[in-house]
Amino acid sequence: MTKQASPYADAAGTKTVTLSVQSWVGARANAAVAKYLLEHELDYRVDTVQVDEVPAWDALSQGRVDAILEDWGHPDQEKRYVEDKKTIAPGGDLGVTGHIGWFVPKYFADAHPDVLDWKNLNKYASQLRTAESGGKGQLLDGSPSYVTHDKALVNNLGLDYKVVFAGSEAAQITQIQQFAKKKQPFLTYWYEPQWLFNEVPMVEVKLPPYTDACAEKGAADPSTVNCAYPTSTLKKFLNADFTRKGGKAARFLKNFHWSKDDQNEVAQMIAEEKLSAEEAAERWVERHPDVWKRWLP
């Protein structure tokens, strides 16, 4: 990323687009379909680069990428780049509502319904221990690069748990599948939309309700967070110069709008069926012309 620049940083009308792709498979699904249609319907060449959540905003502001197709809410970056510097422009809603939470498998919740209240989690800590969590219960997280409040929540809610990072979304999915195959209990940070719910039904543990006051306090000092994650309308953002000079590509990306089921269909083909991103996108495009034809400028 340090050397790569979007062609739109220097030239208008260039038939190339650079998309930022986050590491989770839902974001890869967005980019795969956008890339396929930009290339096959609008005659662009599309480059994709994987950048972590916060650095992606810096890259977008600097014109090193043209668009982020799935943002889960970064108010500090939005204020800095959209409101103050005006180097990034809103690209509209993705069409998908995102929610992060703590989940247990349905088979465990059915056997122990009170586990779904965070106040009872310590009661089950001994059943949720692993070799990685030592004497505490394990709260399984994915990539350390994700913006989470789990360590603060464990501390502030007085929970006898340790946050253990799987390392990536794929590694976390593998661990969840292994637990489920053996019908073992587990507690995991997870999010919707995500295709894995189709394979491993999970139920959310209710944390203290989300409030704006909690969020504002947490924005100033993340270690103070003691409430649930918000439910977020997932949004797209475009480089401001690209918005003005990107022609049909910019208009197409603004029009890109699909459902949770659409995203999960592509994500599952990539992650579970092991299709390449392009193959998964091609299959989805063949099945859903009624959806994507509305995006074309």
Side-chain angles (χ1 to χ4, degrees):
M1 281 302 298
T2 54
K3 296 182 180 178
Q4 183 164 353
S6 161
Y8 284 106
D10 301 308
T14 306
K15 297 282 280 184
T16 304
V17 178
T18 304
L19 300 177
S20 171
V21 186
Q22 313 297 31
S23 63
W24 53 89
V25 70
R28 290 168 56 203
N30 302 327
V33 170
K35 180 178 189 290
Y36 185 88
L37 289 169
L38 281 165
E39 291 182 339
H40 292 268
E41 296 292 327
L42 297 176
D43 245 3
Y44 285 81
R45 193 192 86 212
V46 180
D47 295 324
T48 59
V49 289
Q50 185 169 313
V51 198
D52 289 340
E53 291 178 74
V54 174
W57 278 81
D58 302 327
L60 186 63
S61 173
Q62 295 160 14
R64 291 186 282 136
V65 299
D66 296 312
I68 295 172
L69 298 183
E70 181 174 309
D71 183 75
W72 283 67
H74 291 86
D76 289 349
Q77 282 70 29
E78 200 168 336
K79 184 178 187 309
R80 181 181 306 130
Y81 294 127
V82 179
E83 296 177 23
D84 297 343
K85 292 189 174 184
K86 295 182 171 36
T87 52
I88 292 176
D93 294 346
L94 176 63
V96 176
T97 298
H99 178 66
I100 295 169
W102 293 0
F103 291 83
V104 294
K106 186 175 182 299
Y107 54 79
F108 190 60
D110 288 345
H112 307 281
D114 63 335
V115 76
L116 298 180
D117 184 333
W118 71 269
K119 294 175 185 173
N120 298 319
L121 283 175
N122 281 348
K123 175 180 170 183
Y124 295 99
S126 61
Q127 295 184 52
L128 295 165
R129 287 178 192 154
T130 66
E132 291 76 19
S133 67
K136 298 178 178 289
Q138 174 176 279
L139 171 56
L140 180 64
D141 273 38
S143 167
S145 71
Y146 293 172
V147 179
T148 80
H149 305 305
D150 289 353
K151 288 183 178 179
L153 282 164
V154 165
N155 184 55
N156 295 330
L157 298 180
L159 298 176
D160 189 25
Y161 284 77
K162 178 181 178 182
V163 176
V164 176
F165 291 97
S168 67
E169 182 189 59
Q172 189 177 9
I173 287 172
T174 298
Q175 289 198 29
I176 290 171
Q177 289 171 323
Q178 289 171 348
F179 283 129
K181 188 175 182 181
K182 297 175 182 177
K183 286 288 190 287
Q184 288 179 253
F186 62 85
L187 174 66
T188 188
Y189 162 102
W190 205 231
Y191 36 85
E192 300 177 278
Q194 225 295 334
W195 64 268
L196 187 62
F197 284 104
N198 299 335
E199 180 182 315
V200 182
M202 290 181 269
V203 188
E204 187 172 4
V205 174
K206 289 184 179 177
L207 294 168
Y210 170 86
T211 64
D212 289 341
C214 173
E216 287 168 14
K217 192 171 149 190
D221 182 359
S223 69
T224 66
V225 173
N226 61 358
C227 65
Y229 291 89
T231 296
S232 307
T233 298
L234 304 187
K235 296 181 179 181
K236 299 167 293 176
F237 289 93
L238 310 181
N239 173 272
D241 285 341
F242 172 72
T243 303
R244 292 188 291 269
K245 301 174 185 176
K248 288 184 178 181
R251 295 200 296 277
F252 167 82
L253 292 173
K254 282 186 175 181
N255 293 341
F256 188 106
H257 186 276
W258 64 351
S259 70
K260 175 180 80 171
D261 291 341
D262 290 322
Q263 188 188 83
N264 279 343
E265 183 179 341
V266 179
Q268 189 157 8
M269 284 190 278
I270 294 171
E272 187 72 355
E273 298 175 30
K274 305 303 181 188
L275 270 64
S276 70
E278 184 172 10
E279 289 170 331
E282 183 177 9
R283 285 197 191 178
W284 184 89
V285 165
E286 287 171 353
R287 293 172 186 168
H288 301 283
D290 56 317
V291 178
W292 61 261
K293 284 189 175 179
R294 298 196 298 263
W295 308 340
L296 299 178

